Amino acid sequence: MQTAQNLPQTQMIVRYQHPNNEVYYGVVEGDEIKQLSNDFSEIAQDKLTFDGTTVKYENVHILAPVIPSKIINFGWTYAAHADETGGEANLKEPFLFLKPTTSLVPNDGDIILPPTDLTNQVELEGELALVIGKRGKNIKEEDAMDYVYGCTIFNDVTARDLTVRDPQFTRAKGFDTFGPLGPCIVKGLDPTNVRIVTTLNGEVVQDGNTNQMSFSMPFLISWISQVMTLEPGDILATGSPAGSCPMKSGDTVVVEIEHIGKLRNFVK
Ligand code: MG
């Protein structure tokens, strides 16, 4: 699958720990990162200041690309996934839940299965995530994409047995490490027609496209902004295509999105 490096109008931003232990943002160029002195709020305003350092991508520890004020998740936005999980396809209004920021893990981080007396069915959900670039409330649908800085990859790890048992999804979705995010933010990508492929131990289990969503991304942004103010760095996980399935200890899960890259995590 193509990465953003094939698209000249895009830019790949990563957050990483330098070998000197300091944390930086940088712009990926080939196998190198050009280091920035900015925080995300400055980057989101396109105020990029390069500090003159270049590091090899393979020599740094990639971190979750943002620490959002909230991780907003839309459920059952793909009819086939709603059908497979007992949800409602083609909803009239979006189905909404939040994940805590303590669920975040970076690319190559571990998804830690909770004790089996809490859940016996932890499943993967590969999703495209929008990263908000500026503060907004009551955003008009026609302006909505102006509030998006870029796109990244999210794995909406889910204790499926608890979504059935609990009246709402906080516990099922909120365990520590149930929110793999990254590895990079791609700016300048049209997210409305990109392929999402998830593999479990190398076997394809999800193969969808964001063009299968039952709500448009501008509608989702406008709709949620009537409820809560969106802040720079906030994550909007746009839902999972069909093929969600259980993971077990020892598994490797990779969510690949066209033009963004691969988010790989290890199940422990
Ligand atoms: Mg989901």
Side-chain angles (χ1 to χ4, degrees):
M1 215 182 279
Q2 290 207 321
T3 72
Q5 304 229 16
N6 304 106
L7 294 178
Q9 75 277 19
T10 59
Q11 197 167 38
M12 291 175 71
I13 304 283
V14 285
R15 182 173 160 267
Y16 58 95
Q17 188 171 26
H18 188 280
N20 69 10
N21 287 330
E22 297 289 325
V23 172
Y24 299 96
Y25 277 96
V27 177
V28 180
E29 288 183 10
D31 59 358
E32 294 183 332
I33 303 170
K34 294 205 174 335
Q35 190 159 289
L36 298 165
S37 58
N38 309 102
D39 61 19
F40 183 74
S41 65
E42 293 166 338
I43 292 168
Q45 297 170 61
D46 288 326
K47 294 175 181 165
L48 302 189
T49 308
F50 293 94
D51 73 2
T53 307
T54 299
V55 290
K56 285 275 187 199
Y57 192 96
E58 63 186 21
N59 290 345
V60 303
H61 177 55
I62 297 295
L63 302 172
V66 282
I67 303 296
S69 81
K70 48 198 173 292
I71 305 167
I72 299 164
N73 291 253
F74 294 101
W76 302 330
T77 50
Y78 294 75
H81 175 64
D83 286 341
E84 73 184 0
T85 56
E88 197 179 329
N90 302 310
L91 293 163
K92 291 196 174 57
E93 283 199 304
F95 178 79
L96 174 71
F97 56 92
L98 296 172
K99 285 197 177 211
T101 54
T102 42
S103 68
L104 289 173
V105 284
N107 183 57
D108 281 347
D110 295 338
I111 298 167
I112 309 291
L113 298 178
T116 52
D117 58 339
L118 294 179
T119 171
N120 274 307
Q121 191 183 358
V122 176
E123 298 198 350
L124 58 85
E125 293 187 5
E127 308 193 1
L128 183 137
L130 302 172
V131 183
I132 294 298
K134 61 177 179 178
R135 194 164 210 259
K137 171 80 175 169
N138 296 322
I139 299 167
K140 292 194 183 107
E141 216 172 307
E142 59 264 36
D143 300 330
M145 296 314 283
D146 296 341
Y147 287 79
V148 174
Y149 176 72
C151 306
T152 187
I153 306 172
F154 190 65
N155 189 342
D156 175 20
V157 178
T158 302
R160 189 71 63 205
D161 46 355
L162 298 184
T163 65
V164 176
R165 201 191 310 167
D166 288 355
Q168 40 84 351
F169 280 13
T170 305
R171 183 167 65 142
K173 301 280 192 175
F175 285 96
D176 288 353
T177 74
F178 274 25
L181 184 74
C184 62
I185 302 171
V186 175
K187 180 179 188 293
L189 174 68
D190 174 6
T192 61
N193 180 16
V194 288
R195 189 174 169 200
I196 303 176
V197 175
T198 307
T199 61
L200 188 62
N201 304 321
E203 183 188 337
V204 174
V205 290
Q206 297 192 285
D207 190 352
N209 188 300
T210 53
N211 65 13
Q212 299 162 337
M213 289 175 64
S214 51
F215 294 105
S216 75
M217 294 187 195
F219 173 80
L220 292 174
I221 294 163
S222 174
W223 185 85
I224 187 61
S225 78
Q226 297 172 60
V227 182
M228 56 189 80
T229 301
L230 300 180
E231 301 279 6
D234 280 354
I235 293 294
L236 271 67
T238 57
S240 172
S244 178
C245 62
M247 302 180 289
K248 62 182 188 316
S249 181
D251 285 351
T252 299
V253 55
V254 177
V255 184
E256 182 172 7
I257 300 185
E258 188 179 9
H259 304 306
I260 302 179
K262 293 180 182 179
L263 173 65
R264 179 176 68 175
N265 295 95
F266 307 106
V267 183
K268 297 281 168 71

